[in-house]
Amino acid sequence: RRVMQIPPEYDILFAQGGGHGQFAAVPMNLCPTGTEVASYVVNGTWSKRAVDEASKYCRPHVISSVEDDGSCAAYPSADRIKGEVDPSSAFLYVCSNETVNGLELHRLLPKLPSNVPLVVDASSDFTSKPIGWRESNVGVLFACASKNIGHPGVTLVVVRKDLLGRANPFTPGFLNYETNILADNVWNTIPTFNVDVVGIMMGWILDNGGVDAMERMSVAKSERMYDAIDDSGGFYVTPVNRESGYRSRMNVPFRVADGDEALTDLFLVECWERGIVGLRTITPFGKSMNLRASLYHGVSYEEVMVLTGFMREFAARHSVPKAQAEVPEGIGASMINKGMGMNKSIAEHGSPPLFDGSPESSSDNLFELSMSPMGCMDLCVVRFDKELGMLHNAIKPKAPYNVHYNVPLGSSPDNVADPSFTLPKNFKVNQYARVSDDMFVRPVGRDSPPPSLR
């Protein structure tokens, strides 16, 4: 409530079932007979799934910006929404950030003349910008924890009190907002660990300047990504135009060399070799032609610099006719390094590789940090300087480079601040963490990227 300045006329719940659970819970709680009309703005993957689920519990009226080919690169305009919303609607539904499509409403819609309450799926952008609760007539807002506010398995629900008591009688108890509020949110046992993590994240946000500071950081990170794409001369492209005003600050979709599969695979392998992962993930929607960089709070500005720096380097090496850029099918990571002449290209373009093959150190104040959840890249050595209170990436480049890249404690809640643990890359220790040194066992290494990478 403090972080997001939630007014007193709203109740806060912690629920289970994720976003899909709320796709059902919203119409169940706001449409008592199941015959009520509800207006849905459809502008991407998640809002479409919300409509599909809601059609079981209400009569959706759709305002869509999806093209005939299934693509979507903008929201319907505010004027169009105001003109097309059914004034008898039980609510107007909008997804404020479409992760797959890279579309974001940086501010919610203003209050409609018809006074229809706004329902917001803010799963992927909650706490990244202020919410005008009263100005936008927000009735219900929900957010899955796993993007910006905590650990997967819990969903935050904010519901205005005057909307309680309308639930369809067939609404299951654990999805019924009023039932859970009257029971002080313990009608059934909520995932207490996950809720505790949300509290830790809220503390981190407050300690780092609050939601306004989070927005400034999100703007800075996303602008750096979009600049790297827009300045690439077409080597990288994103489906959302700058002029639209809807480019997501949370998720940046982009293609490499107009979707060239060989270069895209090479790009992912070289990213993996640098400890950059997650640009192509397994989803229920199949393999997208776009890669996607997600810039949630857990990704620091310094890490975005590493990615965009590599993107510029890769584009400089491969902005050549397609026939010259193709990579033989099945080529391995080690062969790619040799076959593409990586060291030669690096020498020519003046950008050394980020990591050496293995760190060497005899100093007591150095510790190894695995660069992959599976321990496949022990390539980074981190030096903790107690006097300065900052972290330095003491990376030993390949010869002839003999320099160190110093990175201060950065803008992410998971920057390492305790050198006493050797952990998987995606688990970093800081003042908010509650771990012990016997919680993790060093995982088995890999010599090549996992098959799912490509």
Side-chain angles (χ1 to χ4, degrees):
R1 195 178 290 274
R2 286 175 56 200
V3 169
M4 295 305 297
Q5 300 179 24
I6 301 174
E9 63 265 31
Y10 291 85
D11 280 317
I12 300 172
L13 287 171
F14 291 103
Q16 293 166 293
H20 285 91
Q22 293 306 308
F23 294 166
V26 166
M28 281 183 170
N29 278 274
L30 301 183
C31 301
T33 68
T35 61
E36 292 81 1
V37 173
S39 294
Y40 276 75
V41 175
V42 175
N43 58 286
T45 299
W46 292 110
S47 49
K48 184 179 184 305
R49 288 173 80 91
V51 169
D52 291 343
E53 184 67 15
S55 62
K56 305 171 186 176
Y57 313 108
C58 67
R59 293 190 295 130
H61 168 67
V62 174
I63 306 168
S64 177
S65 61
V66 179
E67 302 293 339
D68 293 339
D69 62 359
S71 65
C72 187
Y75 280 82
S77 69
D79 288 340
R80 181 186 165 198
I81 293 173
K82 184 165 57 174
E84 294 187 20
V85 65
D86 189 322
S88 67
S89 295
F91 57 86
L92 171 64
Y93 182 102
V94 65
C95 178
S96 55
N97 183 69
E98 287 280 5
T99 58
V100 177
N101 305 83
L103 292 167
E104 181 180 357
L105 278 176
H106 301 132
R107 288 295 183 270
L108 294 179
L109 301 168
K111 183 176 180 178
L112 296 171
S114 57
N115 206 35
V116 174
L118 185 67
V119 171
V120 186
D121 175 0
S123 292
S124 53
D125 60 342
F126 191 62
T127 72
S128 74
K129 59 195 174 192
I131 299 290
W133 299 96
R134 293 166 176 157
E135 296 82 354
S136 295
N137 195 31
V138 175
V140 177
L141 180 146
F142 65 88
C144 302
S146 56
K147 305 297 193 294
N148 279 318
I149 65 172
H151 191 275
V154 68
T155 302
L156 178 77
V157 181
V158 183
V159 56
R160 205 171 64 206
K161 294 178 181 180
D162 66 300
L163 297 178
L164 298 173
R166 304 185 183 185
N168 187 305
F170 293 104
T171 304
F174 84 101
L175 292 179
N176 189 307
Y177 299 153
E178 185 179 40
T179 297
N180 286 276
I181 288 169
L182 291 176
D184 293 328
N185 210 172
V186 291
W187 186 83
N188 71 313
T189 304
I190 58 177
T192 54
F193 171 82
N194 307 60
V195 174
D196 192 39
V197 174
V198 173
I200 293 170
M201 273 300 302
M202 295 305 105
W204 177 84
I205 290 173
L206 288 172
D207 290 346
N208 285 273
V211 70
D212 291 333
M214 298 299 105
E215 182 171 39
R216 290 193 294 272
M217 180 56 64
S218 296
V219 169
K221 291 188 294 186
S222 59
E223 284 185 349
R224 191 168 187 92
M225 273 296 302
Y226 287 118
D227 285 347
I229 293 169
D230 293 339
D231 296 343
S232 69
F235 186 80
Y236 303 109
V237 294
T238 184
V240 185
N241 293 327
R242 184 187 295 272
E243 294 75 20
S244 73
Y246 296 121
R247 279 184 166 181
S248 174
R249 300 167 182 168
M250 298 290 102
N251 311 96
V252 181
F254 65 96
R255 294 194 301 276
V256 178
D258 198 29
D260 181 280
E261 290 191 11
L263 274 181
T264 301
D265 286 350
L266 177 60
F267 179 86
L268 289 170
V269 168
E270 292 195 16
C271 279
W272 186 88
E273 292 175 334
R274 288 159 171 78
I276 303 170
V277 297
L279 296 174
R280 172 170 284 164
T281 55
I282 299 174
T283 73
F285 319 115
K287 180 178 176 180
S288 171
M289 64 186 301
N290 293 317
L291 304 181
R292 182 172 13 133
S294 293
L295 309 178
Y296 304 126
H297 294 337
V299 177
S300 70
Y301 185 80
E302 294 81 4
E303 289 169 325
V304 177
M305 289 176 63
V306 171
L307 173 57
T308 56
F310 169 68
M311 289 173 66
R312 295 179 189 277
E313 173 196 319
F314 188 87
R317 287 191 277 120
H318 297 288
S319 294
V320 293
K322 180 177 179 181
Q324 299 179 36
E326 290 181 351
V327 179
E329 184 177 355
I331 192 167
S334 60
M335 294 176 63
I336 289 173
N337 282 345
K338 297 175 182 178
M340 300 307 295
M342 177 180 281
N343 292 336
K344 181 176 183 292
S345 296
I346 288 168
E348 291 174 351
H349 295 288
S351 179
L354 188 58
F355 302 117
D356 194 2
S358 64
E360 297 177 3
S361 172
S362 58
S363 174
D364 291 336
N365 68 343
L366 297 180
F367 71 100
E368 294 182 4
L369 179 68
S370 171
M371 294 307 295
S372 164
M374 291 183 290
C376 51
M377 295 187 68
D378 291 329
L379 306 181
C380 181
V381 179
V382 179
R383 178 164 59 89
F384 183 67
D385 191 325
K386 295 182 180 178
E387 294 181 359
L388 295 178
M390 56 175 59
L391 289 173
H392 301 280
N393 284 346
I395 302 165
K396 180 185 176 184
K398 295 179 184 291
Y401 301 97
N402 186 19
V403 297
H404 288 73
Y405 295 85
N406 296 323
V407 180
L409 188 63
S411 55
S412 166
D414 58 6
N415 278 293
V416 181
D418 184 344
S420 62
F421 302 114
T422 299
L423 303 172
K425 174 185 183 294
N426 286 357
F427 194 102
K428 305 177 185 179
V429 183
N430 62 26
Q431 61 178 314
Y432 302 95
R434 303 173 186 179
V435 299
S436 60
D437 56 4
D438 60 352
M439 287 179 65
F440 294 89
V441 177
R442 192 174 190 81
V444 179
R446 278 180 179 265
D447 296 326
S448 62
S452 62
L453 178 69
R454 291 178 282 175

